[in-house]
Amino acid sequence: MKKMDVIFRQVFFKNLKSKTWLWIVLGPLVLAAVFGGVFWLMNQTNQTSKIGVVTSSPALTSTLKASSDDDQRYISYSSTAAAKRAMADEELDGVLTISTQPTTHASLIERTDGNGVNQTQLQSILAQAHTKEVAAQLKLSTTQLQSLFATPQLATTSVSVDKGKLVSRSAKTQKSGAMVGFILGMLIYTFVISYASMMAQEIGTEKGSRIEESILTAITPQAQFFGKLLGILALMAVQMAIYGVVTLAGGLLLQRLPKNPLSSLMTNIDLSGISLNMLIFSLVFFFVGTLTYTVLAALTGSLVANQEQIGQATTPIVMLGMLGYFGALIVAGGTSPILNIASYIPFLSTMMMPVRLGAGQVTAVAGWSALGINLVFLILFTWLTVKFYQTNVLSYSDGGMLKAFKRSWQLQRAARKPKPVKS
């Protein structure tokens, strides 16, 4: 136990002080700060577009003025020349000239260096005004006009099947749950690429530099394996703690801002759909998923013969991680029989199943069943990896990782064969 603790401390403190781990922690925070700053800056610099309106129709003028909002404001001018002078003085972003004879026709002059003009809104307002004008010519009452253009209302309810019963779920709740699952999948993929590569690098570097023989004279391969694994997990825990503190501090800071840049996003999120059960499930899946990939990294790292092969050791990890990540992206928009099966397969389900559970595609029983499959697989896979690790860590093969694995398999089979009893 003490020897395993030595390996744990060596792996933990060595990487904690390294620039690589520092970038693993700070990289996502820097990207989040950059995107958040850009989003905040766009909100702060988003000014109201001012459009000068020139028309002889008082009804059109009043309709446009009534349609003014924080994004687009309409100002009446007596002539096109006056409106153009105002635009030349940079008081206007556009000039809209509307003629009603013989039919309604509009022309827009827009400044290339001004605030953008929402032409879709303009066309909608002009269409409404034209409809009112035609209705007046046909002597239709307001009630008749509303009946003519009334659109039947379509009420949509999302439901999920739970124990043979239909359970309603709002669209916002469904999107919120899917978003939590997707964020989890993205975090798992990020941590997998970072820490699984670190694990493979740790083992591959020691093995390639031929110092493994010296280390294993004082410690068993099992103790070294679990010591390294615990060291990597401790680094992940520290990173998650840092992210938790930064998230809490960032949330408190945003609440103090006069105009919270996240307020518009939060209106589309239904936090009631994110239950405690969902959060616990997501955290457990996050732990199991990253641990499974890290054990795989230990297995592939033990197969390398030199430091040049470390890139080969991380390739299967990256490929499996990408499959799970893209599977989570696809399943967020809908499911299929193949995706349903894939969401129960270890290495893939760690990213896909939380998204399906959050989107209401599966019940809690199905989610916990997938988690149980992953836990059983993790235990068996770790036990098998330790067996192979004992053989691989002192075995060198210049024929590549595939040959090294075949040789390791042959050695394992030979070790399991009963030895002949001497007479």
Side-chain angles (χ1 to χ4, degrees), residues 204 207-208 210 213 299-310 312-313 391-411:
K207 190 176 177 183
R210 295 299 196 272
E213 292 88 344
L299 175 61
T300 57
S302 67
L303 293 172
V304 303
N306 48 62
Q307 295 184 13
E308 287 74 17
Q309 293 181 353
I310 293 177
Q312 299 178 25
T391 306
N392 297 337
V393 77
L394 292 177
S395 176
Y396 298 90
S397 175
D398 295 329
M401 290 181 56
L402 187 58
K403 279 193 173 182
F405 183 78
K406 288 181 179 179
R407 176 175 171 77
S408 178
W409 178 259
Q410 291 171 356
L411 291 173

Side-chain angles (χ1 to χ4, degrees), residues 3 25 154 241 389 408 411 413:
K3 294 179 179 180
V25 175
L154 176 64
Y389 186 85
S408 178
L411 291 173
R413 290 183 63 185

Side-chain angles (χ1 to χ4, degrees), residues 47 112 127 140 229 233 258 279 307 352 389 396:
Q47 299 179 356
T112 57
L140 296 176
L229 189 62
L233 291 179
L279 290 176
Q307 295 184 13
M352 296 176 63
Y389 186 85
Y396 298 90

